[in-house]
Amino acid sequence: MYSTRLAIDHSRASAQSEEPIRRTISRDDLLLRARQGCDWLTDIAQVLDASNPDYGVIRGEYDTRSRQWKLYGPFWHTGQTIRLLLKMHATTGEEKYQRHAILGGEYLIRDQAMDRKDHKYYGFIHGREAEGSNTASQVEGLGALYDLYRMTNDDEWLERFRLAVDWIARNLYIEGEGLFHNGYSAMRDELTPLEKARPTNDDAIFRIAYENFKESIYLDIFRAVSDRLLSDEDPPGNWIIYRPCNPESFEGRGSIHARHAWWWGYPMLQAYDAFKDRKYLEAAIRAGDWYIDNSNLDGGYYYHTTREGQGHLSYDFSTSAVGCAVLMWCDLWQRLGDEKYRHAIERALGFMLRAQFRQDVEDPNLRGAFFEGYLPPDGTMSPGFYLRDIATIFPSRAMLTILETFEGDEFAYVDY
């Protein structure tokens, strides 16, 4: 005889614990996890067919339910991949990562106008989108060209960087406003409307340009844009009035994009280094604190957060934002030594480790990648995951930065 009574389950009701579990990961294992992310980008996500017009690009999005790839923001996503791969090359000395970074760089400059007689477009990197180029996408991708120059000592990369930055400065910057036109269509010879202009400060590109070429226009732009951001900051550490944020979303509660504080808050540290004015450092601290204040208990983030930080969509995770936050905190930790940053890094590291797919996962397109979020429930047992290349780029880069920032053979992280 057997009992038909249900067994009493004394386990917790939730799939996650209420109490954090402190664990450690060795230096070698953390490097391995970052390497697996890089190998996913080079071996799976990058287009390696030389006959493909997008040869060298990083395929940005993958749906595990449909098993379909899509390109999204290919210029800046590929640029950020290059920066990570060169960091991995510098860490390990493995030539593979530099080789794939160069392939990505060749993609970035493939459509750059290089006819010196073409006074209108010389230096402009044409956008691949039918509607034209996006200023933020170009600015955030251009740092890769500078990184390639530093790694290879090939002056061609520096010249391509200079020409592209100069074209943006002279054609898209709105003098006296600290703003850029958000895009330009060469097909229509048309700038995006002024009402869509933004204070694009991503990766402190104009400070880098000034440090290399000593043209005052670049430093003037960097200061003006940084000051515009200070004047428009709302809420503290963020900028809800500028896209992709939206102050009117969620029935007027507003929506803040998960990586917005990274794009414009992190370069404030470069502004502090350039101008020695503490107001920029304090702005960067507020941006870092925004990430601390709006993180989940287990270190994750939601893609959209309301102004008050208390509202979000239930399945709207953003693993890429976790990596961005860690990069900021590592820099702030080195500058300030505040323990709150180390605690935040340990919690975020636990989330990133859980967000990475193992090497034996059934779909080979996932091996080593990090998911960006879950797909919304669809009534099946397995609605699936949403992969974005940036969800692998920024956590992998964050792991390498943790290795650089902290000493020791092991690193602590928090699990739930």
Side-chain angles (χ1 to χ4, degrees), residues 218-366:
Y218 304 137
L219 193 62
D220 291 344
I221 288 174
F222 184 53
R223 185 194 290 270
V225 174
S226 298
D227 287 343
R228 178 67 185 243
L229 285 166
L230 289 178
S231 68
D232 291 344
E233 185 180 351
D234 175 37
N238 229 304
W239 294 270
I240 198 169
I241 67 170
Y242 291 111
R243 295 280 181 179
C245 300
N246 187 342
E248 305 303 323
S249 293
F250 299 132
E251 301 177 314
R253 298 177 68 187
S255 171
I256 297 177
H257 187 286
R259 291 187 305 279
H260 216 196
W262 156 262
W263 285 323
W264 295 349
Y266 189 45
M268 288 294 178
L269 291 175
Q270 290 280 333
Y272 173 67
D273 293 340
F275 307 121
K276 309 305 179 187
D277 191 326
R278 190 172 175 83
K279 66 182 181 181
Y280 301 114
L281 175 61
E282 291 170 350
I285 291 171
R286 289 192 296 272
D289 286 351
W290 185 90
Y291 277 118
I292 291 175
D293 295 341
N294 288 279
S295 66
N296 297 340
L297 293 172
D298 60 0
Y301 287 96
Y302 292 98
Y303 206 87
H304 303 92
T305 302
T306 58
R307 181 194 294 273
E308 296 81 10
Q310 298 174 347
H312 47 75
L313 301 171
S314 297
Y315 305 98
D316 198 30
F317 288 115
S318 179
T319 298
S320 60
V322 182
C324 292
V326 170
L327 293 170
M328 289 185 67
W329 293 332
C330 284
D331 197 326
L332 288 165
W333 162 263
Q334 289 180 306
R335 292 169 184 265
L336 305 174
D338 192 324
E339 281 296 314
K340 70 180 179 182
Y341 300 121
R342 183 164 194 148
H343 293 322
I345 291 166
E346 291 175 355
R347 194 167 41 138
L349 178 56
F351 183 90
M352 292 189 296
L353 291 170
R354 292 190 297 277
Q356 188 174 26
F357 288 98
R358 298 185 322 199
Q359 293 298 303
D360 60 354
V361 68
E362 182 268 334
D363 184 346
N365 285 319
L366 308 183

